[in-house]
Amino acid sequence: MTSTTNSPARHRALGDHTWQADAVCRSTECNAVDPEVFFPEPDETNKIAAAKALCGQCPVRRTCLDAALEGGDTDGIRGGLTEEERGPLHAKIAHRLDYSRVNDTIAGRDVHLTTAERRAVVLAAFRHGVSEQRLAWLLKITEEHAQKLYRELRRALRNRDLDQPATIPASEAVGERHDRDDFGTAA
Ligand code: SF4
């Protein structure tokens, strides 16, 4: 499990593509960009360098990388990283536990969550007295599902209290920390 609290205040909302309007690779009448440069063969070093130079100036580079990782977009250069450079991040993202995303969700924002982050949302919501109805809305699930999640959490917490220090819910487990650059951090 990887965990972090390092992130900007706001993450990209699900389905939000408005950030692409600020992408340096967006071709306009005044600024023609060859999209092919972002899909180089591994030995096309000039193309790779050209694409990376554009990404290096791009104000939405972090968001672009997040979107690629969250969307499983493994093709081409994204967020300044080649397919090969992004490979390990794609493999790790399922284990991300970013508490700023948990906080954003509790605040009502619809951001991408991993399974670990969804568990952390349930725990945080429970501890803050968030109703089952509200939890259902936050996670876009049914009220019955939210009730079940709270029921399971209550059971896990009770078992932990009865059996210290045997079991800690996965949602509370804190694993290795990683640097901010391990993942994109979405704006
Ligand atoms: S980071 Fe690179 S690929 Fe992503 S939007 Fe910006 S210029 Fe395009």
Side-chain angles (χ1 to χ4, degrees), residues 19-20 22-26 33 38 51-65 77-81:
W19 58 273
Q20 293 174 348
D22 296 322
V24 165
C25 58
R26 182 167 163 266
V33 177
F38 289 89
K52 286 194 169 198
L54 289 171
C55 293
Q57 313 162 26
C58 185
V60 291
R61 188 176 71 84
R62 284 282 176 185
T63 309
C64 173
L65 179 57
I77 291 177
R78 296 282 181 273
L81 299 182

Side-chain angles (χ1 to χ4, degrees), residues 48-168:
I48 293 171
K52 286 194 169 198
L54 289 171
C55 293
Q57 313 162 26
C58 185
V60 291
R61 188 176 71 84
R62 284 282 176 185
T63 309
C64 173
L65 179 57
D66 270 344
L69 296 176
E70 293 168 357
D73 181 0
T74 56
D75 293 332
I77 291 177
R78 296 282 181 273
L81 299 182
T82 63
E83 295 173 16
E84 292 75 20
E85 291 165 340
R86 248 182 13 263
L89 301 186
H90 279 289
K92 285 168 69 177
I93 194 165
H95 304 291
R96 184 189 64 198
L97 179 50
D98 179 348
Y99 286 105
S100 69
R101 291 172 186 275
V102 173
N103 292 337
D104 264 10
T105 303
I106 294 290
R109 298 199 66 238
D110 191 14
V111 301
H112 181 277
L113 297 173
T114 62
T115 300
E117 288 161 352
R118 284 176 77 84
R119 286 193 189 121
V121 166
V122 176
L123 179 63
F126 182 78
R127 287 188 165 158
H128 285 88
V130 172
S131 71
E132 291 155 345
Q133 292 87 349
R134 174 78 178 169
L135 179 65
W137 182 82
L138 291 174
L139 292 180
K140 309 293 178 283
I141 58 179
T142 64
E143 277 188 38
E144 290 73 23
H145 191 177
Q147 287 165 3
K148 181 167 178 272
L149 291 174
Y150 269 172
R151 208 164 43 241
E152 290 174 351
L153 179 61
R154 276 195 295 271
R155 187 178 303 128
L157 293 174
R158 185 196 60 214
N159 290 345
R160 187 188 65 173
D161 288 345
L162 289 175
D163 196 23
Q164 285 275 16
T167 55
I168 297 176

